[in-house]
Amino acid sequence: TIPRKQRSSLEIGMVYEEPMVGPLVKGQKIGAVIVKLKDRELLNRPVVAAKDIPSGGFVGNFVDTIRLYFGW
C-alpha cells in the first residue's frame, strides 16, 4: 500500500530488449516491469511472451528491416 500523499512520486515503467525480433517462444523473457517510489525500487518482475510468435515471412522481414534501419 502506498500512502496517498506519495502517489505522485510513484513511477511505473517497462524495460525491454530492443528490438524484439521473432521468433519468440512462449515464456521467453522479453523485458521487465519496474515500479519505483522516488529512488526506491518496489517491484521488478519479468515480462514474458504470452504465446509463440513466429518470424515474419520474406515481405514481413523486409519491411521490419527497413523499419529498424530508419527507426520507425
Side-chain angles (χ1 to χ4, degrees):
T1 305
I2 297 170
R4 191 176 301 245
K5 293 179 182 177
Q6 293 183 342
R7 288 185 185 169
S8 63
S9 300
L10 188 66
E11 295 178 39
I12 302 171
M14 181 176 161
V15 292
Y16 54 94
E17 312 297 324
E18 259 190 293
M20 280 185 258
V21 179
L24 298 175
V25 180
K26 180 179 180 179
Q28 178 180 340
K29 182 179 177 186
I30 56 175
V33 171
I34 300 172
V35 178
K36 291 183 178 182
L37 182 61
K38 296 185 181 179
D39 293 331
R40 198 174 101 201
E41 189 173 289
L42 302 176
L43 181 78
N44 186 333
R45 295 289 187 262
V47 174
V48 298
K51 62 181 182 176
D52 290 340
I53 301 172
S55 62
F58 176 76
V59 173
N61 286 341
F62 180 72
V63 171
D64 289 343
T65 299
I66 300 226
R67 285 182 180 165
L68 290 171
Y69 181 77
F70 289 108
W72 294 339

